């Protein structure tokens, strides 16, 4: 067994009182003198039973003491070397024995016994010895007569006993140090674990199978909104109430992944996702459960970032200096500073989503999610569950663990309900309820989930007309239309067409890596006179097309797509005035003809959606 501790001092690791007691008892029983030395051969105990020959003569003069010390050292070293008790004649003529106290192969002390004789002394030898020491030989012999004469066999037995005890003491010290070291290792490991768990943003909590908290990191503390800082050792049910989900999982030692848990803390619902793993003992039985926790808000923020539920555009991205745009611009900051619902109106491709994103990004919710929902694109039967979410088992094919809806995902942010005019009548009432109560209930669920969401809706339809025709609820219309921002069509924005074109040329030049610096005058003339039924989106497509085909440094009329370049001849007739509807009809008709009546291709070329094209065909009475 190896220890990290170096230079261990006997006095630091031995119970001195016990050692003294043992030494005294041993001395009394055997009649010998006993002394314990440290690793430098300094006495650490008080010897008893020293008789005159040693105390008064041998150890009282410098020569005698020197001889004693040399003998003690020799005995201790011999016994260490041989691994046996050393029985030897000391330099002063007595019979002594020694047993080492070892630690990790190193002698840290020794217990010595002796001051006896194995046979009657030869007096002449001791008289000479007394002369060397400079003491009175007569008195020295008198003291010598008091030394016990014990058969060598018994001396060896006493030495063996001492050796046995010193070995036991060595073992005890070793065990004690090992224990201290293990405890220290444990403390270090715990400190490391505590430091590691407090540095993670994920919540971590360990609970034993009695339901008591054995560890909790600051993140878990914060996620669960706990006010009591000293909860380690307390039952979880005391902290979170008797029916909390964590206690149930801990009781059963369950293995869970990303389970959604709602905690009730002082009347407030705390949403988190949690995974759990049982803590197993060596024998495979469960000692408790470790939970990881994530705050739902943060999970959603991450999900929103990953799925792009963030708003990219700000006011700086909106190009336009026309009167209509300036009016709309002003309303962006009004809307950004208010929590009222906003209704954006304007033809398809005018920039309604761009405006919605700018409002979000300039509002106090810019750090929150921006969730866009195209109400026209959602299958009718899925709108409810997409918007409000569903619980596990709500319908065939419902995901395990359920799914949050767009309103939940937009919590603390903005939901953009695009094409709100296409929301089915039967669902409008549910939407109205959410707008009024700011709470959702998932499909197949009962729990009411509060949502803190800012609502921006948009439509390219005449919603008032839809209300009159009974296709849109009047109460919902007024609820949504608190702040109305109308974005004018591109054909009414005058010089904005040129500004946008220049802006788009710069963007595509960079994207396509083309060295194009502008457009020729005729190019601008044509695009200024075009009606742009697909608005900015169509202009975008047109410039992108031109940038791709252009070979010169400036875009020219020959780079324009045919549908725009080849304006009907009547437009060129000087002085002839034609209504915009007529121009739109001619444009739609000619494009449709070009694509042999293919709706998808025509809509794409015009830069509008298929549904918008169908609407236009109906309005303009054009047959596909
Ligand atoms: N004023 C503008 N400045 C710069 N880019 C614009 C502007 N208006 C619109 N755009 C761009 O035109 C494209 C269409 O805009 P957007 O999707 O916001 O229109 P929309 O009105 O929401 O369309 P739809 O009704 O079809 O959903 C986007 O790429 C947008 O960035």
């Amino acid at each position: 067994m190896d220890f990290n501790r170096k230079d261990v001092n006997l006095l630091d690791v031995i119970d001195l009182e016990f050692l003294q007691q043992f030494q005294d008892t041993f001395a009394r029983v055997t009649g010998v003198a006993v002394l314990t030395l440290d690793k430098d051969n300094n006495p650490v105990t008080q010897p008893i039973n020293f008789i005159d020959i040693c105390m008064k003569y041998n150890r009282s003069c410098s020569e005698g003491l020197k001889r004693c010390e040399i003998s003690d050292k020799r005995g201790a070293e011999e016994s260490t070397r041989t691994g046996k008790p050393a029985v030897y004649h000391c330099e002063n003529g007595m019979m002594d024995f020694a047993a080492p106290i070892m630690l990790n192969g190193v002698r840290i002390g020794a217990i010595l016994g002796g001051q006896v004789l194995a046979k009657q002394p030869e007096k002449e030898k001791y008289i000479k010895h007394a002369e060397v020491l400079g003491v009175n030989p007569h008195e020295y012999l008198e003291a010598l007569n008091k030394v016990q004469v014990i058969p060598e066999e018994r001396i060896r037995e006493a030495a063996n006993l001492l050796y046995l005890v010193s070995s036991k003491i060595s073992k005890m010290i070793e065990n004690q140090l090992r224990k201290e070291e293990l405890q220290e290792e444990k403390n270090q490991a715990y400190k490391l674990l505590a430091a590691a768990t407090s540095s993670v943003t994920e919540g971590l909590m360990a609970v034993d199978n009695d339901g008591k908290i054995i560890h909790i990191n600051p993140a878990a503390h914060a996620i669960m909104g706990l006010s009591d800082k000293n909860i380690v050792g307390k039952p979880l049910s005391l902290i979170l109430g008797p029916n909390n989900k964590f206690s149930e999982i801990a009781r059963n030692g369950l293995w869970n992944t990303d389970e959604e848990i709602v905690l009730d803390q002082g009347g407030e619902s705390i949403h988190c996702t949690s995974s759990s793993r049982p803590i197993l003992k060596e024998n495979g039985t469960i000692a408790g459960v470790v939970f990881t926790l994530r705050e739902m808000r943060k999970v959603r923020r991450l999900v929103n970032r990953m799925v792009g539920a963030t708003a990219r555009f700000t006011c700086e991205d909106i190009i336009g200096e026309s009167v209509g745009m300036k009016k709309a611009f002003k309303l962006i900051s009004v809307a950004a500073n208010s929590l009222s619902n906003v209704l954006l109106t304007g033809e398809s491709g005018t920039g309604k989503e761009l405006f919605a994103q700018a409002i979000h990004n300039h509002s106090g919710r810019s750090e929150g999610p921006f969730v866009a929902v195209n109400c026209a694109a959602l299958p009718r039967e899925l709108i409810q569950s997409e918007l409000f979410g569903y619980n596990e088992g709500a319908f065939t094919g419902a995901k395990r663990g359920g799914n949050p809806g767009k309103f939940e995902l937009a919590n603390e942010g903005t939901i953009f309900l695009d094409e709100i005019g296409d929301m089915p009548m039967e669902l409008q009432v549910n939407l109205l309820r959410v707008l009024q109560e700011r709470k959702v209930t998932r499909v197949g669920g009962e729990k009411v989930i509060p949502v803190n969401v800012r609502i921006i809706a948009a439509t390219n339809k005449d919603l008032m007309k839809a209300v009159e025709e009974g296709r849109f609820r009047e109460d919902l219309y007024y609820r949504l239309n608190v702040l109305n921002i109308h974005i004018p069509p591109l054909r009414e924005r005058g010089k904005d067409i040129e500004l946008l074109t220049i802006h788009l040329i710069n963007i595509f030049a960079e994207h396509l890596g083309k060295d194009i610096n502008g457009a020729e005058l005729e190019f601008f003339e044509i695009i200024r006179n075009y009606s742009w039924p697909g608005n900015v989106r169509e202009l975008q497509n047109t410039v992108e097309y031109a940038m791709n085909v252009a070979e010169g440094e400036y875009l020219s009329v020959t780079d324009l797509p045919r549908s725009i370049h080849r304006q009907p001849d009547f437009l060129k007739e000087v002085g002839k005035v034609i209504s915009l509807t007529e121009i739109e009809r001619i444009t739609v008709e000619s494009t449709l003809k070009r694509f042999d009546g293919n709706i998808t291709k025509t809509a794409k070329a015009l830069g509008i959606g298929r549904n918008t094209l169908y609407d236009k065909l109906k309005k303009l009475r054009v047959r596909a």
Side-chain angles (χ1 to χ4, degrees):
M1 200 181 296
D2 259 3
F3 293 96
N4 296 325
R5 285 178 62 176
K6 302 261 182 279
D7 294 329
V8 174
N9 198 336
L10 184 64
L11 281 178
D12 295 336
V13 290
I14 193 81
D15 179 350
L16 201 58
E17 204 178 317
F18 159 78
L19 193 63
Q20 183 75 52
Q21 258 178 29
F22 157 74
Q23 176 191 297
D24 296 351
T25 312
F26 186 87
R28 265 195 301 275
V29 171
T30 58
V32 299
V34 183
L35 175 67
T36 306
L37 306 180
D38 67 10
K39 65 172 184 288
D40 301 318
N41 305 310
N42 296 315
V44 293
T45 51
Q46 291 292 330
I48 63 162
N49 273 13
F50 266 141
I51 49 175
D52 287 353
I53 188 93
C54 283
M55 268 326 260
K56 224 166 153 184
Y57 304 106
N58 293 343
R59 286 183 175 262
S60 297
C61 64
S62 61
E63 179 58 24
L65 184 62
K66 198 170 98 196
R67 289 176 178 218
C68 280
E69 284 172 353
I70 291 171
S71 308
D72 291 347
K73 187 165 174 253
R74 186 161 51 86
E77 279 171 357
E78 184 191 323
S79 144
T80 306
R81 198 176 57 249
T82 59
K84 288 194 293 206
V87 180
Y88 55 95
H89 279 101
C90 90
E91 304 258 326
N92 288 320
M94 301 290 117
M95 239 358 226
D96 284 347
F97 45 90
I101 300 173
M102 306 289 288
L103 180 68
N104 210 20
V106 176
R107 176 165 59 87
I108 59 165
I111 311 179
L112 309 174
Q115 190 200 244
V116 290
L117 289 169
K119 55 181 187 208
Q120 291 303 330
E122 295 161 21
K123 296 213 166 98
E124 298 75 43
K125 195 173 126 193
Y126 286 92
I127 290 170
K128 274 193 194 139
H129 190 71
E131 282 165 4
V132 174
L133 295 184
V135 297
N136 183 318
H138 181 68
E139 287 172 10
Y140 192 75
L141 281 184
E142 233 174 75
L144 187 67
N145 282 337
K146 290 183 190 152
V147 177
Q148 283 190 84
V149 179
I150 306 174
E152 190 171 330
E153 204 181 316
R154 278 199 52 215
I155 296 175
R156 288 196 182 278
E157 274 172 19
N160 283 343
L161 179 62
L162 199 67
Y163 188 81
L164 196 72
V165 172
S166 76
S167 303
K168 283 276 174 223
I169 290 174
S170 301
K171 202 83 215 147
M172 263 163 53
I173 294 173
E174 218 172 78
N175 287 344
Q176 177 61 25
L177 285 185
R178 187 78 200 137
K179 251 198 213 155
E180 281 174 17
E181 216 165 84
L182 284 176
Q183 187 57 44
E184 181 60 23
E185 274 170 23
K186 236 165 109 180
N187 291 348
Q188 284 300 334
Y190 186 79
K191 277 188 198 154
L192 190 76
L193 187 73
T197 62
S198 21
S199 64
V200 294
T201 48
E202 201 171 31
L204 285 166
M205 174 172 69
V207 177
D208 68 13
N209 45 12
D210 290 332
K212 283 204 195 96
I213 300 169
I214 44 183
H215 180 78
I216 183 162
N217 75 344
H221 221 279
I223 292 169
M224 293 196 276
L226 304 174
S227 50
D228 186 354
K229 292 280 166 219
N230 302 312
I231 56 169
V232 172
K234 293 186 184 168
L236 198 56
S237 52
L238 200 77
I239 314 282
L240 300 176
N243 299 322
N244 74 83
K245 190 82 185 164
F246 290 114
S247 292
E248 184 191 321
I249 295 172
R251 237 184 340 267
N252 302 314
L254 293 179
W255 178 296
N256 266 335
T257 301
D258 291 335
E259 169 143 6
E260 203 176 324
I261 293 182
V262 183
L263 296 172
D264 189 7
Q265 273 297 34
E268 200 195 325
S269 298
I270 295 172
H271 289 244
C272 51
T273 59
S274 173
S275 300
S276 59
R277 298 287 179 268
I279 310 167
L280 295 178
K281 289 187 201 162
E282 294 259 303
N283 62 7
T285 56
I286 293 168
V289 171
V290 175
F291 293 96
T292 59
L293 288 99
R294 275 170 204 251
E295 212 173 342
M296 210 57 182
R297 268 187 327 166
K298 287 195 181 153
V299 175
R300 294 214 174 116
R301 208 172 288 163
L302 185 71
V303 171
N304 286 335
R305 252 208 332 260
M306 305 294 278
V307 300
T310 46
R312 279 191 300 137
F313 298 114
T314 65
C315 282
E316 285 73 53
D317 299 298
I318 305 177
I319 310 294
E321 289 179 5
S322 57
V323 180
M325 280 301 275
K326 276 188 181 154
K327 219 165 117 189
F329 258 143
K330 264 196 198 148
L331 290 171
I332 290 185
S333 56
V334 172
N337 292 320
S338 149
L339 269 180
S340 303
N341 298 338
V342 177
L343 181 65
L344 294 164
T345 52
E347 289 179 14
S348 175
T350 45
K352 294 184 293 297
E353 174 148 10
L354 190 68
F355 266 63
Q357 291 199 13
I359 293 170
H360 171 81
N361 273 335
H362 289 275
S363 75
R365 302 174 163 250
S366 57
E367 288 296 305
F370 175 87
V371 178
V373 187
N374 188 330
C375 303
L378 288 175
R380 211 181 171 83
E381 61 286 2
L382 289 185
I383 295 186
Q384 176 99 345
S385 55
E386 279 288 315
L387 287 181
F388 310 127
Y390 59 82
N391 271 3
E392 187 171 329
F395 46 82
T396 327
K399 228 167 45 182
R400 228 186 128 244
N403 214 27
K406 302 285 185 195
F407 271 91
E408 273 184 73
L409 290 176
N411 198 29
E412 296 187 357
T414 304
I415 190 163
F416 174 54
L417 301 170
D418 201 3
E419 316 250 5
I420 190 75
D422 289 328
M423 173 75 89
M425 248 333 224
E426 67 272 19
L427 287 171
Q428 290 178 20
V429 65
N430 294 357
L431 182 60
L432 183 70
R433 197 171 312 125
V434 175
L435 299 198
Q436 281 167 342
E437 295 170 10
R438 305 274 158 177
K439 284 173 186 155
V440 293
T441 308
R442 290 186 182 182
V443 176
E446 284 170 7
K447 215 176 181 77
V448 174
I449 304 169
V451 284
N452 169 9
V453 175
R454 202 276 159 86
I455 290 136
I456 302 179
T459 183
N460 54 18
K461 302 231 163 76
D462 184 348
L463 266 197
M464 200 54 223
K465 197 161 159 240
V467 170
E468 280 161 18
E469 289 170 3
R471 286 181 287 111
F472 203 83
R473 290 182 67 107
E474 192 176 7
D475 42 11
L476 180 59
Y477 172 73
Y478 285 113
R479 198 35 82 172
L480 291 171
N481 197 22
V482 182
L483 276 172
N484 175 230
I485 303 180
H486 179 69
I487 308 172
L490 190 55
R491 63 183 168 275
E492 290 174 15
R493 292 196 213 163
K495 62 177 177 184
D496 283 359
I497 298 178
E498 278 168 68
L499 286 178
L500 273 162
T501 305
I502 294 165
H503 169 74
L504 292 166
I505 289 173
N506 290 336
I507 290 180
F508 288 120
E510 200 179 314
H511 279 195
L512 301 171
K514 283 194 131 178
D515 199 8
I516 295 175
N517 296 317
E520 290 171 357
L521 281 178
E522 294 90 331
F523 183 97
F524 281 119
E525 209 178 304
I526 290 183
I527 60 166
R528 220 181 293 126
N529 289 319
Y530 182 66
S531 62
W532 299 110
N535 291 293
V536 185
R537 189 178 294 115
E538 190 185 0
L539 179 63
Q540 245 174 8
N541 294 348
T542 304
V543 175
E544 188 175 0
Y545 174 88
M547 292 289 288
N548 272 294
V549 298
E551 286 174 352
E553 201 188 331
Y554 294 92
L555 297 182
S556 81
V557 283
T558 53
D559 300 326
L560 281 167
R562 284 163 62 98
S563 54
I564 288 161
H565 175 52
R566 297 264 168 93
Q567 298 252 13
D569 286 344
F570 62 81
L571 284 181
K572 293 174 189 153
E573 278 179 41
V574 182
K576 182 161 184 184
V577 176
I578 287 188
S579 75
L580 288 173
T581 316
E582 186 56 12
I583 295 173
E584 199 177 23
R585 195 180 61 74
I586 293 167
T587 310
V588 170
E589 239 174 14
S590 64
T591 316
L592 200 58
K593 213 163 158 192
R594 223 183 101 208
F595 291 108
D596 291 333
N598 186 314
I599 294 290
T600 310
K601 286 184 184 165
T602 306
K604 201 171 167 211
L606 291 175
I608 56 176
R610 282 165 50 96
N611 286 342
T612 313
L613 180 58
Y614 277 126
D615 286 347
K616 283 195 188 300
L617 293 177
K618 218 154 113 195
K619 193 179 95 190
L620 301 166
R621 292 171 204 268
V622 173
R623 287 183 49 191

